[in-house]
Amino acid sequence: MTAIDTTPAPTGVANDQGPGRLQTVLHFASRQYLVAVLVVLAVAVGIAKPSFWGGGNIENVLFQASLVGLAACGMTLLIAGGLLDLSVGGVIAVSAIAIGTVLPSTTIGGAIVVALAIGVGLGLVNGLLVTYVRIAPFIATLGTLYLFLGLAFIWTSGKVVPITSSNYRAATTETIGRVPYVFLVFLVVAVAAYLLLSRTHFGRTVRAFGSNERAAVLAGLPVARAKVLVFVVAGLCFALSGVFMAGRLSSAEGNMAMGFEMDVIAAVVVGGTALRGGRGTMFGTVVGSLLFAVLANALNLLGVASYWQYVLTGTVLVVAIAIGARRSAAAEVRGAG
Amino acid sequence: MTAVLQVEDVVQEYPGVRALKGVSLDIHAGQVLGLVGENGAGKSTLIRVLGGIEQPVRGSVTLKGVPQRFRSSADSQAAGISVVSQEFRQVPQLSVADNIFLGHELTTGGVVQRGRTRTRSTELLEQLGMDLEADRPVSSLTVGDRQMVEIARALSRTFDVLIMDEPTAALNGAEITRLHAIVRRLAQQGKAIVYVSHHLEEIFAICDDVAVLRDGELVARQPTSELDEPRLVEHMLGRKPTTYEHVSTGEGEATDVRLAVRELQVPGVAEPFSLDVRRGEVLGLAGLVGSGRTELTRALFGDLVGLGGVVEVDGKAVRLRSSREAVRHGIFMLSEDRKSEGILPHLDVTENAMVSRDRRSLPWSRRVLPLRRDESAEFARLRDEMRIRVPHGRQLIGNLSGGNQQKVLLGRALLSGCSVLLLNEPTRGVDVGAKVDIYQLVKQLADRGVAVVVSSSDAPELAAIADRCVVYFAGRQVAELRGRDVTEENIVGASVGQTAQEGSHD
């Protein structure tokens, strides 16, 4: 046997700068199967129950999606960094209670600033525990969840703190046309979080240590600082959610957002952000938040018994993630994992 | 004579890549077939197809005359193909014996026979010339021993075809010799062996035939005796190889010391280190495992905190308590473990190259925010300069071959604007073509004034690129070779503890 062929093969290196704009758009669109699911669901429910689109219902849905979504923006940043925060419910409670407490004596703006400052402070606690005391995020924030909740109950002696200022309620629940103000805030925060994650040095550092922490440290990136900071930003997002939740409920109490962290994480994960870190999709998070809100609302409108609502919601969660996992496995045969 | 294994027109595709473009290959019983090619040529894909891990888009695999469709690696093993994979698939917490029989445990009625497992394992390890306790957990083993366990594991099955994917990458000289003897014995017993290696001397030492893959195609299949190394490399590259000619910079020309280490005490190493590296110099660090050279580079990069001593960069004493501090002081290091300590797999090649970029010299606007356009332009420049084979800058780094990943990481080091560059095993897992490129890049970096320290277990590599080479043995400097004395023989001699008297000029 002799040589079959020795002619030099073309190098196969294309000279373009990237995979073309149209291609990028198509690639992006092809991955957004969730958008299709959301649209089909909304249309189907609209046909079955026209009241879905009517009256205050759509505002309701958007309001619910925004509360989860605001917190989910922060959570997406954390998960992209391979981190997690379970103390969402605690942060929301403490910041909302702060609003109820200070509101009689301050302006609306002042109260919101206090709440956001508390979000930053509590996020800082989480960040320092995870980064410098080196407790796994899951455990550290589970601990602080109880800690913050305890704080909230002690502060209020377990009572409900009413938000008496009708101006505050009006400001936080106002709508522009049929779109609640909070939904616009949510979209702005989502865009800001997207830019933060994908277009800044900070965001790059977060994705870098989410992808491979050892490598990020050895590349000389400010991993510790960015880790603390991402918890702080997340805390800010949670508190912002608390600001609107307090207005919506016209009150604040320790268990106002009990179990909320799971809704938030579910929205992020269904949106397509994998828990193992390295990347995050803010667009997916927006869609995920909307999907859950529409689904919950649809099940209520259709009169599904609440126990069965759990079953259906759980099924949607599992199926969406299973499809997402299959798709990403097919797309990245030799990818990063 | 009919072939044991026949591969016909196998095509495999990944999104955007045609990894195998119709490869046909056959292997006879008792034959050792060398499979060579650059990284990304399709060797690993072919092995994954034969091992049942991937299903080809087209083509057929015939084993002993029976057409096969492997749906999983279990199918392939059952049919009689055993694979020694390049990456270890071991459970670190389990014992050596349990790992050897992982997936095909010796059982009676569903219960593992511990005794038989242990004795069979010990037998297999003895065959490999290994004196290893079968009860030890795999996590306590050295990389070389783990490689042997992986080989024992492949041998523990009944097989007709044995595929060995770079089995000697982590082995030392004696172990390699032993392994070669085993391969020959297996061939005499009538097994067919596919042997993949980047070390061409191995191919010539043990293979009867050699098959060359390039860009997913089989470009040559010849008896080894009809080939020599340059011709084989030519087949692999598809062109005449560009040889790397080492030009040693004259001693005493550039005298300014960029890195000065005085009595640096490194945890885990008995004696303190002292050395100087000059501007534009490539200093080699040689020595066996346990010589302390890895620890030295880690300490210089702030990854291990030194216990005492002084490190000066450009005449200024620096404190190295973290890698970040080291980078800020102008020291950069690339780890020998590219996968777990180098690449950021979820980020694209551009971002991977830009993460450590020195932004102090950039205009204010680009310092605060990374600008896409600016970074793509910067990466395009790097790509041309370093000959990184990547279709576009938004490709994920995990999809690149080892050599190209290493080039991206060298680009990262370059952009960090470092004055001292520490390289650990810079060409581990890198094919011949990329190796030469990397040597040239290292040289270019040195010519720009960077003081380069290359720590390597590959003596020919050090002989090729180092201007000066320091050899350590058990934490002690045993030789310093300069200029013409930096040869493979001197380095190897000094590494194993012989006093390389002709080499030391101190």
Side-chain angles (χ1 to χ4, degrees):
Chain A
M1 269 182 282
T2 52
I4 293 167
D5 167 35
T6 48
T7 51
T11 48
V13 176
N15 252 335
D16 54 339
Q17 282 302 308
R21 185 145 299 178
L22 179 69
Q23 216 185 330
T24 313
V25 171
L26 286 178
H27 180 70
F28 179 78
S30 73
R31 290 172 63 123
Q32 303 307 325
Y33 72 102
L34 264 190
V35 178
V37 174
L38 178 62
V39 170
V40 169
L41 183 66
V43 170
V45 177
I47 291 168
K49 293 277 167 183
S51 60
F52 176 77
W53 294 106
N57 190 56
I58 205 72
E59 284 95 318
N60 249 328
V61 172
L62 292 179
F63 213 106
Q64 196 52 42
S66 306
L67 291 182
V68 172
L70 278 172
C73 288
M75 192 65 84
T76 308
L77 293 175
L78 284 166
I79 292 179
L83 304 166
L84 200 66
D85 191 342
L86 297 180
S87 71
V88 184
V91 176
I92 289 178
V94 175
S95 52
I97 289 166
I99 289 173
T101 315
V102 301
L103 208 46
S105 49
T106 51
T107 60
I108 294 171
I112 291 176
V113 169
V114 169
L116 297 184
I118 284 176
V120 166
L122 300 185
L124 186 66
V125 171
N126 283 328
L128 293 176
L129 282 176
V130 169
T131 311
Y132 293 104
V133 191
R134 291 173 191 278
I135 310 174
F138 186 93
I139 303 298
T141 58
L142 184 64
T144 55
L145 169 64
Y146 290 121
L147 194 77
F148 300 158
L149 283 177
L151 209 69
F153 286 123
I154 293 166
W155 189 353
T156 59
S157 310
K159 293 195 192 77
V160 176
V161 181
I163 291 179
T164 45
S165 161
S166 56
N167 286 334
Y168 183 86
R169 289 204 301 268
T172 48
T173 55
E174 204 172 338
T175 58
I176 298 168
R178 298 183 58 191
V179 180
Y181 188 56
V182 61
F183 187 67
L184 299 179
V185 173
F186 166 40
L187 292 184
V188 169
V189 169
V191 170
Y194 163 75
L195 292 174
L196 187 67
L197 187 62
S198 62
R199 300 292 174 91
T200 65
H201 291 300
F202 165 70
R204 177 178 290 171
T205 306
V206 170
R207 285 178 291 122
F209 69 68
S211 179
N212 183 346
E213 183 161 354
R214 247 325 259 165
V217 168
L218 289 182
L221 291 171
V223 171
R225 194 172 70 198
K227 235 182 205 182
V228 175
L229 201 56
V230 74
F231 272 104
V232 168
V233 173
L236 188 68
C237 290
F238 303 157
L240 197 57
S241 180
V243 164
F244 289 99
M245 201 184 285
R248 174 98 171 147
L249 299 172
S250 312
S251 66
E253 59 175 319
N255 51 15
M256 65 188 286
M258 207 76 104
F260 197 61
E261 61 280 352
M262 289 305 158
D263 297 354
V264 173
I265 294 170
V268 175
V269 172
V270 165
T273 300
L275 278 176
R276 56 176 174 256
R279 59 177 76 154
T281 154
M282 250 353 126
F283 184 76
T285 297
V286 173
V287 177
S289 310
L290 281 168
L291 187 68
F292 273 109
V294 170
L295 185 68
N297 186 260
L299 295 177
N300 274 330
L301 287 182
L302 295 171
V304 176
S306 69
Y307 296 163
W308 282 101
Q309 290 194 13
Y310 280 119
V311 172
L312 288 169
T313 311
T315 309
V316 168
L317 181 67
V318 171
V319 169
I321 291 171
I323 293 173
R326 279 194 86 92
R327 290 173 64 93
S328 62
E332 299 169 31
V333 182
R334 297 198 295 170
Chain B
M1 197 163 60
T2 57
V4 185
L5 177 68
Q6 267 178 306
V7 175
E8 250 167 88
D9 196 27
V10 166
V11 175
Q12 179 64 313
E13 284 166 351
Y14 303 119
V17 197
R18 208 143 184 233
L20 289 177
K21 302 169 184 164
V23 171
S24 301
L25 203 60
D26 49 44
I27 305 148
H28 299 281
Q31 192 177 38
V32 183
L33 174 71
L35 184 62
V36 297
E38 288 190 90
N39 278 332
K43 288 172 305 188
S44 308
T45 309
L46 182 59
I47 291 169
R48 280 198 293 265
V49 167
L50 291 176
I53 298 165
E54 282 177 22
Q55 283 70 46
V57 175
R58 209 176 70 205
S60 68
V61 175
T62 312
L63 197 63
K64 290 184 285 183
V66 186
Q68 303 281 350
R69 276 206 82 81
F70 302 138
R71 301 174 63 87
S72 67
S73 51
D75 280 2
S76 151
Q77 282 157 5
I81 296 180
S82 199
V83 181
V84 179
S85 61
Q86 192 180 359
E87 277 164 32
F88 304 154
R89 287 175 295 185
Q90 295 167 346
V91 183
Q93 293 84 356
L94 290 182
S95 72
V96 169
D98 287 340
N99 267 292
I100 289 176
F101 286 94
L102 195 67
H104 60 128
E105 288 80 3
L106 302 170
T107 55
T108 35
V111 181
V112 175
Q113 302 172 308
R114 291 192 159 273
R116 255 188 76 203
T117 305
R118 201 174 303 130
T119 42
R120 278 283 293 139
S121 303
T122 314
E123 267 171 46
L124 281 163
L125 290 169
E126 268 169 17
Q127 245 184 57
L128 291 167
M130 297 282 297
D131 180 25
L132 203 65
E133 277 173 63
D135 289 331
R136 269 177 70 178
V138 159
S139 56
S140 71
L141 301 183
T142 63
V143 186
D145 287 346
R146 292 184 65 169
Q147 178 70 68
M148 284 306 215
V149 170
E150 196 69 25
I151 293 166
R153 184 171 167 192
L155 297 182
S156 70
R157 299 171 184 277
T158 43
F159 60 87
D160 300 299
V161 179
L162 178 65
I163 299 172
M164 306 181 97
D165 193 359
E166 294 192 48
T168 54
L171 301 184
N172 65 32
E175 289 168 332
I176 290 173
T177 317
R178 229 158 34 218
L179 183 70
H180 286 176
I182 291 160
V183 169
R184 285 198 203 92
R185 202 171 64 222
L186 288 169
Q188 275 160 21
Q189 289 166 8
K191 312 285 187 196
I193 293 154
V194 180
Y195 197 94
V196 181
S197 179
H198 280 316
H199 296 285
L200 300 183
E201 62 271 34
E202 265 196 312
I203 299 290
F204 285 101
I206 58 166
C207 296
D208 307 312
D209 263 33
V210 61
V212 184
L213 284 178
R214 190 203 316 143
D215 292 326
E217 283 173 284
L218 184 73
V219 293
R221 162 78 195 254
Q222 277 175 289
T224 320
S225 52
E226 292 177 12
L227 276 167
D228 54 12
E229 209 168 305
R231 286 200 22 222
L232 185 55
V233 172
E234 207 178 312
H235 281 314
M236 290 167 67
L237 300 178
R239 57 178 159 83
K240 286 252 184 244
T242 42
T243 46
Y244 179 72
E245 285 292 327
H246 180 238
V247 189
S248 186
T249 40
E251 280 175 57
E253 256 178 38
T255 44
D256 45 342
V257 173
R258 292 215 96 169
L259 174 71
V261 181
R262 294 283 167 271
E263 299 289 312
L264 179 69
Q265 195 80 51
V266 179
V269 182
E271 289 192 39
F273 290 98
S274 294
L275 50 87
D276 285 333
V277 193
R278 292 180 186 79
R279 174 182 293 274
E281 185 181 35
V282 180
L283 173 72
L285 301 184
L288 305 172
V289 174
S291 61
R293 60 186 164 84
T294 314
E295 288 78 4
L296 172 62
T297 58
R298 301 263 149 182
L300 288 177
F301 194 54
D303 191 37
L304 273 177
V305 179
L307 303 172
V310 183
V311 178
E312 290 178 6
V313 177
D314 292 329
K316 262 194 346 216
V318 294
R319 294 182 72 177
L320 303 167
R321 287 163 305 181
S322 70
S323 301
R324 186 163 170 70
E325 231 169 12
V327 173
R328 212 163 32 214
H329 290 308
I331 302 176
F332 205 81
M333 184 192 81
L334 295 185
S335 162
E336 68 281 6
D337 191 347
R338 227 177 359 252
K339 194 170 172 192
S340 60
E341 299 191 328
I343 63 166
L344 299 162
H346 296 87
L347 274 57
D348 62 37
V349 281
T350 308
E351 290 199 293
N352 263 286
M354 300 297 152
V355 279
S356 307
R357 193 176 180 190
D358 181 20
R359 302 201 293 271
R360 280 172 289 196
S361 57
L362 293 178
W364 190 84
S365 61
R366 276 181 276 163
R367 220 191 280 189
V368 182
L369 287 175
L371 293 181
R372 280 258 166 103
R373 190 181 301 165
D374 165 56
E375 293 199 336
S376 324
E378 193 71 22
F379 181 76
R381 211 174 54 72
L382 271 186
R383 185 177 73 174
D384 296 341
E385 199 179 304
M386 314 194 111
R387 293 205 265 160
I388 304 170
R389 279 172 50 150
V390 53
H392 53 78
R394 314 219 59 84
Q395 175 85 35
L396 294 185
I397 194 166
N399 294 342
L400 266 55
S401 68
N404 281 313
Q405 289 183 355
Q406 187 70 333
K407 287 181 188 174
V408 173
L409 296 184
L410 274 172
R412 184 192 282 178
L414 178 73
L415 291 178
S416 78
C418 57
S419 33
V420 177
L421 177 59
L422 313 165
L423 298 173
N424 284 300
E425 310 286 355
T427 60
R428 177 176 285 178
V430 168
D431 60 78
V432 230
K435 224 174 201 172
V436 175
D437 285 351
I438 286 169
Y439 293 161
Q440 276 166 351
L441 290 171
V442 169
K443 189 69 194 147
Q444 276 171 24
L445 278 165
D447 288 344
R448 288 186 201 186
V450 177
V452 184
V453 178
V454 179
S455 165
S456 177
S457 52
D458 190 357
E461 171 165 302
L462 290 175
I465 57 172
D467 300 314
R468 188 158 62 94
C469 185
V470 184
V471 185
Y472 293 97
F473 186 79
R476 208 156 38 82
Q477 182 179 327
V478 290
E480 181 174 346
L481 309 163
R482 288 168 190 273
R484 278 175 205 285
D485 291 333
V486 186
T487 62
E488 197 182 333
E489 294 76 36
N490 285 347
I491 293 170
V492 173
S495 306
V496 295
Q498 290 175 10
T499 42
Q501 272 164 352
E502 66 273 46
S504 51
H505 283 287
D506 290 291

